[in-house]
Amino acid sequence: MKVAFSTSGDSLEAPIDSRFGRAPRFIIYDDASGTLQVIDNSQGLNAAQGAGIQAAETIARSGASCVVTGHCGPKAFRVLSAAGIRIFTTDAPTVAEALERFRSGKLTQSASADVAGHWA
C-alpha cells in the first residue's frame, strides 16, 4: 500500500505540513517495499486557486491509496474521495511519527473536510 504525506522535506524525518494543497512536497511511502518517493508540489504551492484539486490529482496519479496530512479542505477532500483515496489528519511532528501512528491504527479516517477552502 502507498501512503502519501504532506511535507516540506524529503525524508521520513521531515515535518508534516499542516496544509494539503499548498504543501511544498509529498512523500509517497510504499509499505510493501519500504521505499519512498518525493513529489514536488510547487505548482500547487504557487497556484492562485485550485491548489487542493491539483494536489489531489497529483496524489491520485501517484497510486497512493491513503493521504496523511495536517488538514484537508473541501475541494481536495471531494477529489480524493472520488478517487477512492482515504484521508487521515494528524498533528504528528514528522512523517516518521505520522507513519507510525498510521501503522498502529491511531489515526482515524476523515469523514469530511476539516477546514474551509482558501485557508492559510
Side-chain angles (χ1 to χ4, degrees):
M1 166 190 339
K2 291 183 180 181
V3 183
F5 297 88
S6 60
T7 185
S8 57
D10 57 7
S11 73
L12 291 178
E13 300 312 315
I16 285 287
D17 196 299
S18 64
R19 305 160 302 171
F20 172 72
R22 295 198 184 274
R25 295 181 188 87
F26 296 107
I27 288 179
I28 311 297
Y29 182 80
D30 187 332
D31 205 37
S33 65
T35 59
L36 60 90
Q37 172 188 9
V38 178
I39 298 176
D40 180 71
N41 188 41
S42 57
Q43 181 181 2
L45 179 63
N46 299 317
Q49 56 185 323
I53 293 169
Q54 290 175 12
E57 290 171 347
T58 297
I59 295 304
R61 285 191 301 273
S62 78
S65 57
C66 301
V67 166
V68 178
T69 186
H71 299 282
C72 186
K75 292 177 185 176
F77 190 91
R78 194 168 35 254
V79 173
L80 291 167
S81 295
I85 299 170
R86 297 178 295 154
I87 301 116
F88 298 84
T89 57
T90 185
D91 62 356
T94 65
V95 173
E97 175 65 23
L99 176 59
E100 178 57 35
R101 291 180 189 182
F102 177 79
R103 284 179 170 161
S104 64
K106 293 181 180 173
L107 299 181
T108 303
Q109 184 175 342
S110 299
S112 63
D114 70 330
V115 291
H118 300 284
W119 72 289

